[in-house]
Amino acid sequence: MTIFHSRLRGRRRSVTSGVICLSQRQLISYEDSIMEQWCLPCPHCNELQALRLKDGIVYEHYVSESGEIVVTEAEHRCVYCGVLGTEKEWKHGEGAWIARKEHTSRRGFHINQLSSPWSDWREVAKAFFVAKREGIDKLKFFINTVLGEPWETKQKGVKEKTLAARREPYFEVPAEVKVITAAIDKKDDRFEIEVKGWGAGAMVFYNRTWK
């Protein structure tokens, strides 16, 4: 299980397991809750924290002659003291649900596979390497189901000057026009676009059609 949330008053519960990808609706529901995370204490400084793959798990691995990825060791680095601890040391501690925000009517919980007593960190790390090697779809599935996290698509922004430089003059409209509307009619082989310029009293001062 990765994410689930519940309403306290109505006893309504929604569960997201590790066999499907997270939907936008489920993420919004979780973010609208107190967002509790399952945390384990650092075996060295005893600070509670959620286990993380990125910047958390430190592993050693190699690729065999047959192409198989073999992870020989995996430890977790504490976000507070920075000391590494073994999987056995971390999972031996007494965990707790820690809320990240306040909410009056809904509790939401998140736990990933790294905290599971039936999961091996070396196998999780191996699954991560395999997913990266097999492509975006496999990696997205791993992030959603094993880590219980949303898949974030990185998009490059467009600079304001670059966008302004690509402007093109289309047409000029009379000064009486206050509002411009456009209607599109989809044909079998084309789009027909009609643009109208409206002025006071719903009068049309401009009308042009592109085919």
Side-chain angles (χ1 to χ4, degrees):
M1 182 184 299
T2 52
I3 287 180
F4 61 94
H5 68 270
S6 64
R7 291 185 181 275
L8 297 179
R9 297 175 182 174
R11 299 292 183 182
R12 178 183 175 184
R13 293 177 175 84
S14 175
V15 178
T16 298
S17 69
V19 296
I20 60 175
C21 292
L22 302 179
S23 69
Q24 188 66 23
R25 181 178 179 182
Q26 290 162 338
L27 291 174
I28 292 174
S29 295
Y30 177 64
E31 291 173 352
D32 191 36
S33 72
I34 59 177
M35 298 178 68
E36 294 181 63
Q37 282 186 312
W38 180 251
C39 298
L40 291 173
C42 170
H44 302 283
C45 69
N46 209 40
E47 289 286 347
L48 286 167
Q49 59 202 272
L51 299 182
R52 316 169 321 279
L53 180 64
K54 183 180 180 181
D55 301 326
I57 296 295
V58 178
Y59 38 75
E60 294 183 4
H61 73 286
Y62 67 90
V63 180
S64 67
E65 294 182 356
S66 62
E68 180 184 2
I69 298 173
V70 180
V71 179
T72 58
E73 186 176 351
E75 295 181 303
H76 191 276
R77 186 184 304 279
C78 175
V79 70
Y80 296 102
C81 69
V83 179
L84 291 172
T86 66
E87 182 172 8
K88 183 177 181 180
E89 289 174 331
W90 278 93
K91 292 184 177 180
H92 182 71
E94 184 176 350
W97 291 105
I98 304 296
R100 290 187 285 168
K101 58 188 289 190
E102 295 182 358
H103 198 279
T104 58
S105 62
R106 175 177 291 167
R107 296 184 68 185
F109 304 85
H110 174 265
I111 183 172
N112 61 38
Q113 193 170 315
L114 294 171
S115 299
S116 171
W118 303 284
S119 176
D120 187 312
W121 287 353
R122 293 171 299 179
E123 292 300 318
V124 173
K126 177 181 178 179
F128 173 64
F129 282 121
V130 171
K132 287 182 65 177
R133 185 169 63 181
E134 294 186 356
I136 293 296
D137 289 340
K138 293 290 185 180
L139 183 58
K140 179 179 179 180
F141 187 80
F142 174 88
I143 297 297
N144 285 165
T145 59
V146 177
L147 301 184
E149 298 175 357
W151 173 261
E152 298 180 358
T153 302
K154 295 182 179 180
Q155 297 181 346
K156 295 182 179 180
V158 179
K159 294 183 179 180
E160 183 178 349
K161 291 183 178 180
T162 302
L163 187 62
R166 299 182 63 180
R167 293 179 299 175
E168 297 180 4
Y170 283 96
F171 50 82
E172 294 183 1
V173 296
E176 294 85 356
V177 173
K178 304 302 180 183
V179 177
I180 295 177
T181 61
I184 300 177
D185 186 12
K186 181 180 179 299
K187 304 295 184 180
D188 291 337
D189 58 346
R190 68 188 186 280
F191 289 101
E192 291 189 1
I193 306 173
E194 182 183 43
V195 176
K196 290 185 177 182
W198 303 83
M203 294 184 63
V204 177
F205 290 93
Y206 183 88
N207 193 343
R208 184 173 179 180
T209 302
W210 286 269
K211 296 183 179 181

